[in-house]
Amino acid sequence: MSNLRSDPRTSDAVRGSGWTSGSPQAEQLLSRLGAGERVELLFVAPGYQGALTARRLLLWRGIFRVRCTELRRPLPLSGSGSRSAFGEILVLDAPEGAMELKLLTRRVASALAAAGRVSGTPRAEGSTGAAGSYHPRVIRTWQDAELAAVDHMRGLGFADARVTGAGADGGIDVFARDAVAQVKHHSQPIGVGPVRELRGVADAHQHLLFYASGGYTAAARQFADERKAALYSLAESGRVTPLNETATRLSARSAPAPAPASGWTQASAWGRGAAAERASRRAAELDAQRQTVLRLIARVRAHTSEVHALPSNRYTKDRIKALKAAHKLTERAESLLATSRADFQTHGGRKQLIALADEKAREAALKLALRV
């Protein structure tokens, strides 16, 4: 019986890949490969097993009931996430939605990135389709929402539209030569704040677009109308609907002339610069949130010091119990803040840890009857 090590199509790639012969993924791979189709790369990522050949990438999800997704080369790479000491992140634009491959080794990430480029042709980050058409995609994650916005903007004629990086919190999520967009995949209506933020960071661009899954408040609509920002709704089915006059006019206009071709090096340099600026802005936001939690912890500890200074006859069992509980909660909050700075944490992971630390610090303050 043929297996990964004995089959000439996979024998060169299996060593050190993490794949095992006899697994459902291995059996499916051997049955799917053509007679002369050799595997260039086998790899394992959290939640996925992958096999790259000269013409396609096969990705399996699941352990016992496995599902396979096939992507043709050049691979539809929609961007890359943060790099840590533990590995790199790539996002693929699959038919069923964005697929995030985490903790990849540099060799695997480089091979997949190379498989996403068209030989001899510059490829913009997030490239998924041609200008002049929009094909709705199912929206399951914020990555899907950003890719749908890119597709829609290209359908409006902004042929060079591309995502600016991995993550959708604040700033600009989609960039084109003559337009920028922010994308919010939230269930609640968007208030005036995010729309005002887009207006504030994008004054140099002629067209401002906003895509939201949960709609907009009346104040947000009024502000967008006054500042000529185009508001669109983004349904789970991928359907995009203009919600104000600016968006309707933009959807009906003729397509602008495409941006002049630029070198891959120049596009890559811009992408790295924008990603670095975005990462710096997000890091500053998280640091401000950490400082807020630390100030609350300091208030709690100052109060406990005052309580400890009271005469012993002023203590009660309940007060002692509250002091001990507050001490444990503040220690836990500080531990969470320390973990939020670890290299292996993603932006979303850091934000969640800081939020948990804030919750523990507030609970400690309430134990001591402090107002927060």
Side-chain angles (χ1 to χ4, degrees):
M1 178 182 293
S2 180
N3 59 47
L4 297 179
R5 293 186 180 278
S6 63
D7 195 301
R9 299 171 298 177
T10 57
S11 57
D12 292 338
V14 69
R15 186 185 299 272
S17 66
W19 278 65
T20 57
S21 296
S23 66
Q25 294 89 339
E27 292 176 1
Q28 288 191 24
L29 172 60
L30 293 174
S31 66
R32 287 172 176 267
L33 290 175
E37 188 178 13
R38 296 179 66 88
V39 174
E40 299 176 358
L41 176 73
L42 289 173
F43 65 92
V44 176
Y48 294 96
Q49 285 188 229
L52 179 69
T53 73
R55 60 185 179 88
R56 58 180 174 162
L57 171 68
L58 298 169
L59 285 171
W60 282 268
R61 275 185 282 191
I63 299 175
F64 301 107
R65 297 182 60 185
V66 298
R67 289 191 301 139
C68 182
T69 298
E70 179 177 332
L71 299 173
R72 296 286 176 175
R73 294 180 67 162
L75 301 180
L77 293 176
S78 63
S80 61
S82 59
R83 176 183 298 175
S84 74
F86 294 89
E88 301 186 24
I89 300 173
L90 290 176
V91 181
L92 295 166
D93 179 18
E96 65 268 30
M99 303 174 73
E100 191 174 56
L101 303 181
K102 300 180 180 181
L103 305 185
L104 301 175
T105 66
R106 181 169 296 182
R107 182 178 72 88
V108 173
S110 298
L112 294 177
R117 302 188 190 117
V118 180
S119 178
T121 305
R123 179 181 176 82
E125 183 182 1
S127 179
T128 55
S133 63
Y134 172 65
H135 303 288
R137 67 175 68 235
V138 176
I139 308 298
R140 293 189 179 90
T141 65
W142 62 262
Q143 293 102 326
D144 294 335
E146 286 191 355
L147 293 173
V150 169
D151 288 348
H152 184 258
M153 287 179 66
R154 290 180 177 177
L156 295 177
F158 302 108
D160 60 333
R162 59 189 182 277
V163 295
T164 59
D169 294 333
I172 296 171
D173 297 312
V174 182
F175 177 90
R177 176 177 61 116
D178 201 25
V180 291
Q182 191 168 157
V183 185
K184 294 293 185 185
H185 183 49
H186 295 169
S187 59
Q188 299 298 320
I190 298 301
V192 68
V195 183
R196 184 183 288 117
E197 179 184 330
L198 176 65
R199 175 72 271 178
V201 300
D203 279 334
H205 299 274
Q206 182 178 349
H207 299 288
L208 307 178
L209 297 83
F210 208 112
Y211 297 84
S213 301
Y216 304 87
T217 64
R221 286 175 179 252
Q222 180 179 352
F223 183 86
D225 289 340
E226 292 172 356
R227 301 302 195 277
K228 305 300 181 186
L231 299 183
Y232 292 93
S233 71
L234 190 56
E236 186 178 350
S237 64
R239 181 177 179 180
V240 178
T241 305
L243 296 182
N244 63 355
E245 184 180 352
T246 303
T248 302
R249 283 203 311 269
L250 189 59
S251 299
R253 76 190 183 108
S254 58
S262 58
W264 171 253
T265 303
Q266 180 181 352
S268 298
W270 181 93
R272 287 193 298 270
E277 181 181 353
R278 186 185 182 89
S280 176
R281 187 167 59 247
R282 283 153 51 114
E285 174 194 343
L286 291 182
D287 193 57
Q289 293 170 355
R290 284 192 193 93
Q291 293 304 319
T292 300
V293 180
L294 287 171
R295 283 194 293 270
L296 181 53
I297 292 173
R299 279 187 59 201
V300 171
R301 288 193 167 156
H303 184 76
T304 57
S305 297
E306 293 173 5
V307 173
H308 280 302
L310 294 173
S312 58
N313 62 357
R314 299 280 300 275
Y315 281 83
T316 65
K317 283 186 177 180
D318 288 341
R319 186 181 290 274
I320 293 172
K321 187 177 179 180
L323 287 171
K324 288 182 176 179
H327 179 68
K328 287 183 178 179
L329 287 165
T330 52
E331 280 193 333
R332 177 59 178 156
E334 286 186 323
S335 175
L336 289 165
L337 289 178
T339 306
S340 73
R341 293 182 178 276
D343 286 342
F344 64 86
Q345 293 290 348
T346 62
H347 175 78
R350 292 188 176 98
K351 198 165 188 177
Q352 185 176 10
L353 287 167
I354 294 171
L356 288 172
D358 181 67
E359 181 182 323
K360 298 299 180 185
R362 287 174 181 273
E363 190 178 345
L366 290 173
K367 292 283 185 186
L368 302 176
L370 286 174
R371 295 182 62 184
V372 293

